[in-house]
Amino acid sequence: MAPIIAFFTFIGSMGNVPLAALLWSKNASFACVMSFLGADLVAATVIYLQAKYYGWKYAAYLSGLLYVCMVAAGITVHGIFALFNAIPLKELH
């Protein structure tokens, strides 16, 4: 779900960090936050530019591939952090 959110809220790589912190504070999973941080590669503006230069078919293929890779990377990072019991704790309010 995080890469889809990032697609619609593209504000650049530096702007994604505070938004990822907000997702984390609202009980998003660690994998979700990790996927969100890499999701600026599949933003609407980036896809449009890819389609302009390479065509819509290739832009759709590349976007799908990047989406799958981001989700897999988020789940993998979550699994590695969980394996070493290193997932950051959320503050209790």
Side-chain angles (χ1 to χ4, degrees), residues 52-92:
K52 183 177 177 181
Y53 290 105
Y54 306 117
W56 282 105
K57 185 177 178 182
Y58 182 74
Y61 169 76
L62 187 58
S63 298
L65 182 64
L66 287 171
Y67 176 81
V68 169
C69 290
M70 279 183 289
V71 171
I75 292 170
T76 301
V77 168
H78 180 89
I80 292 170
F81 274 60
L83 181 67
F84 293 103
N85 199 23
I87 293 177
L89 297 175
K90 295 181 183 181
E91 250 184 65
L92 297 176

Side-chain angles (χ1 to χ4, degrees), residues 18-71:
L19 200 48
L22 179 67
L23 284 172
W24 180 250
S25 71
K26 298 298 181 187
N27 294 325
S29 70
F30 190 65
C32 175
V33 174
M34 291 295 106
S35 294
F36 182 82
L37 287 173
D40 54 348
L41 297 173
V42 188
T45 52
V46 175
I47 294 171
Y48 174 75
L49 289 173
Q50 291 171 349
K52 183 177 177 181
Y53 290 105
Y54 306 117
W56 282 105
K57 185 177 178 182
Y58 182 74
Y61 169 76
L62 187 58
S63 298
L65 182 64
L66 287 171
Y67 176 81
V68 169
C69 290
M70 279 183 289
V71 171

